[in-house]
Amino acid sequence: MKKIAVLTSGGDSPGMNAAIRAVVRKAIYHDIEVYGVYQGYLGLINDNIKKLELGSVGDMIQRGGTFLYSARCPEFKEKEVRAKAIENLEKRGIEGLVVIGGDGSYRGAQRLSEEAKNLKTIGVPGTIDNDINGTDFTIGFDTALNTIIDAVDKIRDTASSHERTFIIEVMGRDAGDLALWSGLAAGAETILIPEVKSDIEEIAEKIQHGMDRGKKHSIIICAEGVMTGHQCGEELKKFINIDTRVSCLGHIQRGGTPTGMDRVLASRLGGYAVELLMQGDSAKAVGIQQNELTCTHFDEIFQAEHNIDKKMYNLAHQLSI
Ligand code: F6P
């Protein structure tokens, strides 16, 4: 393999730059030319592709976001649109493509590997949601988790001063990992995640029970996929007369300098993606499972359901009585 390209796609996540850096440096180390595709699949269609050098990724490992930019590109579901992307890669002689993103981005990569005559694709899991099968952790999850914990710790100070119940809405449309992990780490009284049906009346009873025991404040972490923080507040008011406040953390969770864990993960996964391309693998995604680098076919990734750690969920519940 002589030429490869790399792109970032979907919601950005802290550590994507570190992953791009690893792809670029690892490839150049092995005398492979690397091209950066700007704006994800959109750049592939619009031919926004530029050669990257060692210096292109200098001073990048610590930066949040992605210097290649990212985009959501629904038109990439169209075969004719993908044909244009393939043409743009082929005219440069690019034989390998590393796609850093979530499983929506992997679907585009899978299609490309099927439709292009001479293109191998490898996915690298980059999303704060931690919702991709075939890996224990995604790039950006740890940073987002720490951002949430920091925010909840601060909110707890004011919740305690005013003896209030706070509802903190965190990201996660379909996956509750951010809510669960941050809830456990920040000592939340209640964690609402899409994977477990929530009973608002029961939550209200729990808050009341805590208040009866002298508990002055309460923290509820609500994943956006369950309902908004404001909806949660309204629902609670049907069962309990308390003064609630809502904080929606929003896109602050997607920014910031990546943690050490995310930089190391991104570097390992980015480097491994290049190794796989060099040995001829395609239509697979890299991952980390029990601290070992692994790779899994896209098909397998799409078939499996994303599950939360039930034991961890139960523990969080037990520790928050
Ligand atoms: O995919 C990551 C994510 O941050 C989700 O948690 C969130 O629901 C979504 O992206 C928001 O996407 P956008 O920035 O496109 O509104």
Side-chain angles (χ1 to χ4, degrees):
M1 184 149 307
K2 289 272 162 272
K3 291 182 186 183
I4 66 166
V6 55
L7 63 80
T8 47
S9 161
D12 64 346
S13 67
M16 279 187 164
N17 279 326
I20 301 164
R21 172 183 177 271
V23 170
V24 171
R25 297 255 164 115
K26 175 87 175 172
I28 294 177
Y29 179 86
H30 291 288
D31 291 323
I32 298 170
E33 272 183 28
V34 198
Y35 290 78
V37 182
Y38 289 76
Q39 297 175 306
Y41 287 118
L42 209 59
L44 214 49
I45 304 163
N46 297 334
D47 207 19
N48 196 356
I49 304 172
K50 292 179 191 115
K51 192 159 177 257
L52 298 175
E53 309 293 348
L54 283 179
S56 316
V57 289
D59 196 21
M60 271 305 157
I61 197 163
Q62 80 286 9
R63 288 200 204 168
T66 160
F67 82 95
L68 287 180
Y69 303 99
S70 190
R72 304 210 186 260
C73 184
E75 57 269 48
F76 210 70
K77 290 190 181 125
E78 311 296 325
K79 195 169 179 185
E80 315 81 72
V81 172
R82 292 195 297 271
K84 184 77 199 132
I86 292 170
E87 194 185 310
N88 289 331
L89 290 168
E90 281 177 352
K91 74 181 181 199
R92 289 181 177 83
I94 293 169
E95 303 155 292
L97 176 67
V98 176
V99 171
I100 305 168
D103 72 353
S105 310
Y106 287 2
R107 284 177 201 275
Q110 186 190 40
R111 291 276 141 75
L112 287 177
S113 65
E114 286 162 2
E115 292 161 13
K117 263 188 251 110
N118 189 24
L119 181 72
K120 304 200 181 319
T121 62
I122 296 291
V124 175
T127 165
I128 63 164
D129 290 349
N130 207 39
D131 61 346
I132 305 181
N133 292 315
T135 189
D136 293 342
F137 296 105
T138 58
I139 298 165
F141 174 67
D142 187 60
T143 308
L145 172 63
N146 281 287
T147 300
I148 299 171
I149 293 169
D150 186 48
V152 176
D153 288 350
K154 287 177 173 139
I155 288 169
R156 184 182 283 285
D157 290 344
T158 175
S160 156
S161 306
H162 287 265
E163 303 177 35
R164 277 172 175 156
T165 293
F166 259 87
I167 301 157
I168 300 157
E169 182 191 318
V170 301
M171 279 189 171
R173 262 191 301 236
D174 307 306
D177 290 48
L178 278 174
L180 173 56
W181 283 64
S182 62
L184 182 59
E189 276 69 26
T190 301
I191 301 169
L192 300 177
I193 55 174
E195 294 87 344
V196 179
K197 202 171 166 352
S198 36
D199 182 336
I200 296 287
E201 190 171 0
E202 211 174 89
I203 294 167
E205 274 168 17
K206 186 177 177 186
I207 294 171
Q208 187 62 59
H209 186 63
M211 280 160 60
D212 296 345
R213 278 179 17 236
K215 218 169 189 173
K216 302 282 189 211
H217 67 272
S218 200
I219 300 281
I220 299 173
I221 307 266
C222 176
E224 63 177 340
V226 178
M227 62 183 119
T228 68
H230 287 284
Q231 282 166 343
C232 181
E234 291 307 312
E235 289 296 313
L236 270 176
K237 277 192 193 128
K238 291 181 188 164
F239 302 102
I240 185 171
N241 183 22
I242 43 164
D243 192 17
T244 57
R245 289 292 183 277
V246 176
S247 262
C248 172
L249 299 187
H251 284 77
I252 197 170
Q253 298 162 90
R254 286 240 295 262
T257 187
T259 59
M261 290 300 278
D262 272 329
R263 295 182 202 194
V264 170
L265 179 65
S267 303
R268 291 177 76 186
L269 295 181
Y272 189 44
V274 176
E275 267 175 38
L276 290 182
L277 284 177
M278 286 167 60
Q279 67 192 41
D281 280 289
S282 186
K284 291 179 181 173
V286 294
I288 192 149
Q289 295 181 49
Q290 292 168 357
N291 203 27
E292 293 289 334
L293 292 173
T294 56
C295 69
T296 312
H297 269 283
F298 286 145
D299 283 338
E300 215 180 302
I301 288 178
F302 302 146
Q303 271 159 25
E305 238 181 68
H306 172 73
N307 288 316
I308 53 129
D309 186 332
K310 273 273 164 55
K311 277 192 184 157
M312 199 193 288
Y313 179 81
N314 291 336
L315 176 69
H317 185 70
Q318 290 158 8
L319 299 188
S320 67
I321 45 170

